[in-house]
Amino acid sequence: DVKVTQSSRYLVKRTGEKVFLECVQDMDHENMFWYRQDPGLGLRLIYFSYDVKMKEKGDIPEGYSVSREKKERFSLILESASTNQTSMYLCASGPSWTRRETQYFGPGTRLLVL
Amino acid sequence: AQKVTQAQTEISVVEKEDVTLDCVYETRDTTYYLFWYKQPPSGELVFLIRRNSFDEQNEISGRYSWNFQKSTSSFNFTITASQVVDSAVYFCALSDSNTGNQFYFGTGTSLTVIP
């Protein structure tokens, strides 16, 4: 079974803090994704990566950055957390585009920024 | 333009009732893929089904069934004899050549099954 793990289930941070969310997958997938989920807005893509050190902006990249130094690990960074970044963050991984298979999701991190 | 529309925000049904979750999509491609996911209260999205645009056969898996109709650009999901464990948020998603590695997700339908 594919396993996607996220470093924290719940996180509380203060405004202005630098926040790191870590995601690890064990299926050697090329693609990894970070989404943000808010009520009524569904899942919105923040960034994705299709290879090590490669990244592409999604729909809402402002205020976020990412890092992919190893194939299995994809980090989301909030450079200076703000209250409007309070949300549920979901990481996903998937094989290359040509295979058009499903994405596999981690359990999510609920981030509260005070 | 929204690529995937799930017009039903919240649905409540009594246990053992049938329920259909609607999904309407928009794409100009002839080759595309549609997906349904379930998100229980624990938070993790669970993959339910993938359908490619060339396969219009309806699919049945236990109490779950999917109706894919290209003529109306719909990919609806029906749960027969609903159970409390079906309570979750359900997402429909689209992948086409424009999205590349990305998926477009609908806004989700929250289903509550009342015992």
Side-chain angles (χ1 to χ4, degrees):
Chain A
D1 277 355
V2 176
K3 193 82 173 168
V4 179
T5 56
Q6 295 183 227
S7 50
S8 304
R9 292 298 303 271
Y10 301 93
L11 212 50
V12 180
K13 296 293 181 181
R14 295 211 173 271
T15 301
E17 279 192 73
K18 191 169 186 176
V19 181
F20 292 87
L21 303 182
E22 300 281 330
C23 177
V24 177
Q25 52 99 357
D26 67 357
M27 280 303 290
D28 201 36
H29 284 160
E30 290 83 359
N31 298 327
M32 295 189 75
F33 307 83
W34 275 107
Y35 293 91
R36 171 176 171 160
Q37 182 181 4
D38 299 289
L41 298 177
L43 275 69
R44 294 181 292 168
L45 183 65
I46 304 171
Y47 269 97
F48 72 96
S49 169
Y50 53 89
D51 202 350
V52 175
K53 297 192 186 294
M54 306 304 289
K55 61 184 179 184
E56 292 280 345
K57 292 180 180 179
D59 300 319
I60 52 164
E62 296 78 20
Y64 304 95
S65 62
V66 291
S67 172
R68 192 165 181 202
E69 297 296 319
K70 294 185 178 181
K71 192 174 185 180
E72 68 272 17
R73 189 178 298 268
F74 192 35
S75 303
L76 179 69
I77 303 154
L78 286 66
E79 296 290 343
S80 178
S82 63
T83 55
N84 63 14
Q85 291 179 310
T86 291
S87 187
M88 170 76 140
Y89 291 89
L90 290 162
C91 175
S93 75
S96 67
W97 171 82
T98 53
R99 290 174 60 183
R100 290 292 194 203
E101 291 185 13
T102 181
Q103 295 182 10
Y104 297 88
F105 286 82
T109 296
R110 293 187 186 275
L111 172 66
L112 173 63
V113 182
L114 299 174
Chain B
Q2 195 164 358
K3 287 225 160 191
V4 178
T5 302
Q6 294 180 257
Q8 304 151 307
T9 306
E10 295 181 0
I11 300 177
S12 291
V13 297
V14 176
E15 201 170 19
K16 297 184 182 176
E17 286 184 349
D18 298 348
V19 58
T20 295
L21 310 182
D22 298 333
C23 174
V24 174
Y25 62 91
E26 178 187 334
T27 180
R28 294 181 180 178
D29 281 2
T30 55
T31 302
Y32 53 89
Y33 292 78
L34 296 162
F35 302 79
W36 273 98
Y37 294 86
K38 173 182 180 180
Q39 185 182 37
S42 60
E44 183 173 336
L45 269 75
V46 176
F47 166 70
L48 296 177
I49 190 171
R50 179 187 76 156
R51 173 65 80 230
N52 75 57
S53 53
F54 297 108
D55 182 3
E56 282 196 79
Q57 264 193 329
N58 290 332
E59 174 117 2
I60 298 175
S61 175
R63 295 183 298 106
Y64 294 172
S65 63
W66 290 268
N67 185 333
F68 177 30
Q69 291 198 339
K70 290 174 75 170
S71 60
T72 55
S73 296
S74 64
F75 187 42
N76 297 337
F77 173 31
T78 297
I79 302 174
T80 303
S82 59
Q83 300 177 1
V84 172
V85 293
D86 296 327
S87 296
V89 180
Y90 292 86
F91 289 96
C92 181
L94 165 74
S95 175
D96 63 17
S97 64
N98 287 327
T99 66
N101 290 301
Q102 302 182 51
F103 284 21
Y104 283 105
F105 283 87
T107 51
T109 297
S110 177
L111 173 66
T112 301
V113 181
I114 304 165

